[in-house]
Amino acid sequence: MSRETVAAHANIEVMQVYRIETGKVNTTISTLLALSKALEVPAKELLDFTFVEQ
């Protein structure tokens, strides 16, 4: 799914999706829930990651 499609379904800006995806910003719970609905995955799945120091 493209960023544009996700943003449209979540009703947020495309650049906001990019900034969240690349770790440039922290997001709110409400945005996280909107993204999980747009992607049709549980919100906890979006939080399941391994931290890698850069």
Side-chain angles (χ1 to χ4, degrees):
M1 189 180 292
S2 71
R3 284 187 191 123
E4 291 78 10
T5 302
V6 172
H9 285 275
N11 198 30
I12 61 176
E13 296 292 324
V14 175
M15 283 306 295
Q16 184 67 0
V17 174
Y18 170 77
R19 288 188 292 268
I20 294 166
E21 187 177 52
T22 58
K24 300 209 184 288
V25 296
N26 293 317
T27 191
T28 63
I29 295 296
S30 59
T31 300
L32 177 74
L33 291 174
L35 289 168
S36 75
K37 287 179 184 177
L39 294 168
E40 298 179 351
V41 298
K44 69 179 186 176
E45 192 171 319
L46 297 177
L47 298 172
D48 187 18
F49 61 92
T50 303
F51 178 74
V52 178
E53 267 188 74
Q54 296 180 7

